[in-house]
Amino acid sequence: MLIELRIENFAIIHELELTPGKGLLIFTGETGAGKSIILDALMALVGGRVDGSMVRQGEERAVLEAQFAIPAACREEITAILEREGLSEGETSLSLGREIRAEGRSVSRVNGRSVNVSLLKELGSLLVDIHGQSEHLSLLNVRSHLDLLDRFAGCGEALETYQAEFHVLQHIRKELKGLRELEQEAARRLELLNFQAQEIEAARLRPGEEEILEQERNRLANAELLTANTQEILNILDEGSPETSSALDLLGQASKLLGALARVDSQQAGLANQLDGASAALSELSRDLRAYLDGIEFNPRRLEQVEERLELIHQLQRKYGGSVEAVNAFGRSARDELEKVQHAGERILELEQEESAATQRALDAGANLSVMRRRAAERMGQEVESELNDLSLAGARFSVWFNALPEPGNLTAQEVELKESGLDEAEFLIAPNPGEGLKPLVKIASGGETSRLMLALKNVLAQADHIPTLIFDEIDQGIGGRVGSVVGEKMWRLARRHQVMCVTHLPQLAAFGDEHYKVSKSVIDERTLTGVERLVEDERILELALMNGNTSPSNLSAARELLSRARERQTAE
């Protein structure tokens, strides 16, 4: 619901802040005071058309901001949109903003971030329904009619049952389609898959093999260099030359001298031990090098084999993946698909049988759902017509149009289109005046008649409609005081489930408000300004009397009587 509204430099409004509460909110004031301008601002905030003429004369821009509490009934849907757009932070409230420039451009914002106006409109349609501005009537969206009917009928469980069967059928049909396409190109696919699987399987690639082979290739290709270097190291460490003693011989000499030193100075015995350890380590290193030298292989044939194997691995990687693991995975996938192609015919026969059974289950569930909808539509028609009669639209008729379907026992997939929503298409039809034919709701006349039609529908669909804030403008056109009381009571009832904002000139309707706001205009420094104030009890009585013409004692008494009767009706509920 709307919890805060701020308007700046919009039409004749210089600056206005409003924090509406719950229930039925009444807006009254003289003609031209700016009541409809507030609704125009809300309309712009939820994605309505705007232009530079809406900016207050002499100002560069108008700024509109609104904060909404997100009710639980539509939180999931709104959160999904915000997450899709990267705007969700897990909040339970939502801010919408619109900045209109004098040159005609506008900027839309959601939670403080710039967005396309289409997103503003998408979110706004879930938060506010404005009756009296036909472009924003949710009930004029034919696609919403079936959903509203389902909620009215309470057939959520039947719809879930149908949709579960429908999704099973979709899954079967998707697999069937894939197998049939596979079967059509089976000959080419079989040959290709068989070649791919056999080529990879014949290679018998092992994880880590490539790295081991590359190391072996390096050793084989550099055997001569490795041998020369190793032999040179051994000469230095162990063998020496006619001119130079080996490192081990020199260490031996140093060891004898250090031993003699330690016998004289026993504190240096540790040094002799360190030198003995170094000598032993060098001896072990010499042995390891000789073993390595003995293992160096001069084998051109083996080098050729290793290079051929590496080339095979690289070739397979270029064709099937960048690593041995990826190539093997491709081979397994090819083998699996090969098995699938080879057995496609058998699986198609199985799936065709499953499709037939699933289709029948979906048709049965859809037929059951359709019966519930059509029965509920009759009840909805009766209730809406009863509401219209109370609202001084006696003789108005309401009906729900459905697409034609065969009898439930004769339904076939050839005659009926199975959709996510069921077997049905539906649209609300209405005949506002006796003798007129039923017409689509989207083609009814605008103005107060439309608002009363919408009020009737909203009352009947109160539990089904999840839009939290409803706004009614010009709902009192063409009705008198008696009907005004009826409309007021119905709007008050509707406001037990929604936040309802209503602009009215009828005191009988205004008396039912939970909050009463007076919209007035004044001229300051030769500029017209609009202001809004929330009325307390005495101020409200005075305003109701003025709505009847003046503040004479009889009108003041009548105003008190209107409030008293309204409260009696509210208490009786």
Side-chain angles (χ1 to χ4, degrees), residues 68-243:
F68 292 88
I70 306 175
C74 59
R75 186 170 300 157
E76 183 177 347
E77 194 172 358
I78 289 174
T79 300
I81 295 172
L82 294 176
E83 287 178 348
R84 182 193 74 201
E85 302 294 332
L87 298 169
S88 177
E89 298 176 359
E91 62 280 339
T92 57
S93 65
L94 174 70
S95 67
L96 302 182
R98 196 88 182 264
E99 183 179 299
I100 308 166
R101 307 284 172 81
E103 71 269 18
R105 294 188 303 112
S106 71
V107 178
S108 303
R109 292 187 176 88
V110 173
N111 288 342
R113 292 168 60 180
S114 295
V115 299
N116 293 328
V117 69
S118 58
L119 178 61
L120 206 65
K121 197 166 189 175
E122 184 179 7
L123 289 167
S125 68
L126 299 174
L127 294 167
V128 179
D129 227 353
I130 301 178
H131 301 283
Q133 306 275 355
S134 60
E135 66 176 311
H136 200 74
L137 292 176
S138 65
L139 285 167
L140 299 189
N141 179 4
V142 176
R143 289 177 296 179
S144 71
H145 292 182
L146 193 60
D147 180 56
L148 288 168
L149 177 60
D150 283 344
R151 294 186 203 167
F152 174 82
C155 56
E157 186 176 340
L159 178 59
E160 288 178 6
T161 299
Y162 165 78
Q163 288 178 336
E165 298 293 352
F166 176 73
H167 293 152
V168 168
L169 179 59
Q170 276 189 314
H171 179 76
I172 293 171
R173 286 178 171 175
K174 182 179 179 180
E175 187 177 352
L176 259 177
K177 181 182 178 182
L179 283 173
R180 284 169 176 156
E181 291 173 353
L182 200 63
E183 194 178 41
Q184 288 176 0
E185 52 176 337
R188 183 183 64 82
R189 292 291 294 166
L190 276 171
E191 184 177 346
L192 175 62
L193 290 169
N194 193 52
F195 171 79
Q196 291 172 333
Q198 287 185 0
E199 183 179 33
I200 294 171
E201 290 165 0
R204 297 181 182 277
L205 302 183
R206 299 183 302 277
E209 179 183 9
E210 183 181 7
E211 182 179 350
I212 294 171
L213 287 172
E214 286 177 345
Q215 292 174 356
E216 184 179 1
R217 180 181 63 181
N218 287 337
R219 289 194 300 272
L220 289 167
N222 296 282
E224 185 176 346
L225 175 63
L226 294 173
T227 299
N229 287 345
T230 305
Q231 185 61 60
E232 181 66 23
I233 295 169
L234 285 170
N235 289 340
I236 294 170
L237 291 178
D238 194 15
E239 298 175 3
S241 67
E243 297 83 13

Side-chain angles (χ1 to χ4, degrees), residues 17-65:
E17 291 189 6
L18 193 64
T19 54
K22 298 179 181 180
L24 177 57
L25 316 179
I26 296 295
F27 291 80
T28 62
E30 295 181 2
T31 300
K35 302 183 296 298
S36 293
I37 295 175
I38 297 173
L39 302 190
D40 289 341
L42 273 169
M43 185 69 187
L45 272 168
V46 293
R49 294 188 183 93
V50 297
D51 58 61
S53 65
M54 295 178 171
V55 179
R56 181 173 166 79
Q57 184 70 32
E59 303 292 342
E60 294 182 356
R61 62 180 185 173
V63 178
L64 310 173
E65 295 176 346

Side-chain angles (χ1 to χ4, degrees), residues 432-452:
N433 302 302
E436 294 183 1
L438 289 162
K439 296 178 181 178
L441 192 62
V442 297
K443 296 182 179 179
I444 61 174
S446 61
E449 188 177 74
T450 300
S451 293
R452 278 181 281 158

Side-chain angles (χ1 to χ4, degrees), residues 522-534:
S522 58
V523 178
I524 300 176
D525 295 332
E526 299 183 353
R527 297 294 301 275
T528 302
L529 300 175
T530 289
V532 178
E533 61 175 324
R534 182 179 175 182

Side-chain angles (χ1 to χ4, degrees), residues 16 20 60 123 225 358 362 413 464 486 489 555:
L16 174 66
E60 294 182 356
L123 289 167
L225 175 63
V486 174
E489 183 176 348
N555 278 346

Side-chain angles (χ1 to χ4, degrees), residues 290-328:
R290 289 190 183 281
Y292 174 69
L293 181 62
D294 291 340
I296 295 174
E297 183 180 9
F298 291 90
N299 190 339
R301 175 60 184 156
R302 175 57 185 165
L303 176 58
E304 184 180 347
Q305 290 173 346
V306 169
E307 289 181 336
E308 288 176 356
R309 180 67 174 173
L310 282 169
E311 176 56 30
L312 173 63
I313 292 173
H314 295 156
Q315 182 184 10
L316 292 174
Q317 287 176 342
R318 285 193 296 271
K319 291 171 68 175
Y320 304 119
S323 66
V324 168
E325 290 77 8
V327 173
N328 284 332

